[in-house]
Structures are given as structure tokens and as C-alpha cells.
Amino acid sequence: MNGLGTEARTMMAVDDATFALAPGQDVADLERRIETAVHDGGRFERFTVTGGREVRVLFSAHTRVVLWGEDATTDQGPDVEPDSAAGVWYDG
């Protein structure tokens, strides 16, 4: 496996879209902002995903959000395939 390592990543699904949050993303703050947006009747909130891209999502009482942690490989070796939708590399 050419020295592949793993790191913990936080993943977030918003309705049918899945995002790998950027390392260093303050998940507790993001949770609070989402809860406040829903409580206030809905609004756009921003967060950063792997690769440094900023994403804006309209959170409302009808938005389904799931957060979870998982391990992702940290190197692109010859046996690794990209999951471009999530922006994470997985052992293949």
C-alpha cells in the first residue's frame, strides 16, 4: 500500500448532497449556526469542504442534515480511487 495513512474526516449530508468538511472546520460552530438558521425560519450558511471550496446551503425546518466521522486515506497511491462527489480518497 505505498505508505498510505488515514485521518479522521467529518462528513455532512444535507438532503441528497454529501460533503467532506475541510480539516479544521469548526463542527460545533457549524452545528450551532445550522440550529440557529432553522430556529430563525431558514437562511444560507457557509462552510468549507475538502479542497478549500466554500459551500453555501439554505438550511430550514425542512432540511435534513446528518454529520458523521470516518477515516480517509491521506495519500494518493496506485491502489486508491477518488470519490469525487465527497472529495475524499478511499482505499480501493
Side-chain angles (χ1 to χ4, degrees):
M1 284 266 251
N2 297 342
L4 295 177
T6 60
E7 70 179 11
R9 293 270 173 92
T10 301
M11 303 295 294
M12 181 168 68
V14 180
D15 295 328
D16 294 330
T18 302
F19 305 96
L21 299 182
Q25 177 76 52
D26 186 341
V27 176
D29 177 62
L30 179 58
E31 287 175 351
R32 282 189 295 276
R33 290 187 291 126
I34 293 169
E35 289 171 348
T36 301
V38 170
H39 181 267
D40 292 348
R43 77 166 168 262
F44 280 93
E45 286 296 333
R46 299 170 188 219
F47 54 93
T48 306
V49 297
T50 301
R53 293 176 294 149
E54 182 180 82
V55 177
R56 295 178 203 101
V57 173
L58 177 62
F59 291 97
S60 73
H62 303 288
T63 306
R64 184 174 153 232
V65 178
V66 179
L67 289 157
W68 71 94
E70 65 185 32
D71 291 332
T73 59
T74 57
D75 193 8
Q76 301 175 15
D79 296 330
V80 177
E81 294 295 323
D83 178 347
S84 60
V88 178
W89 292 83
Y90 293 95
D91 266 337

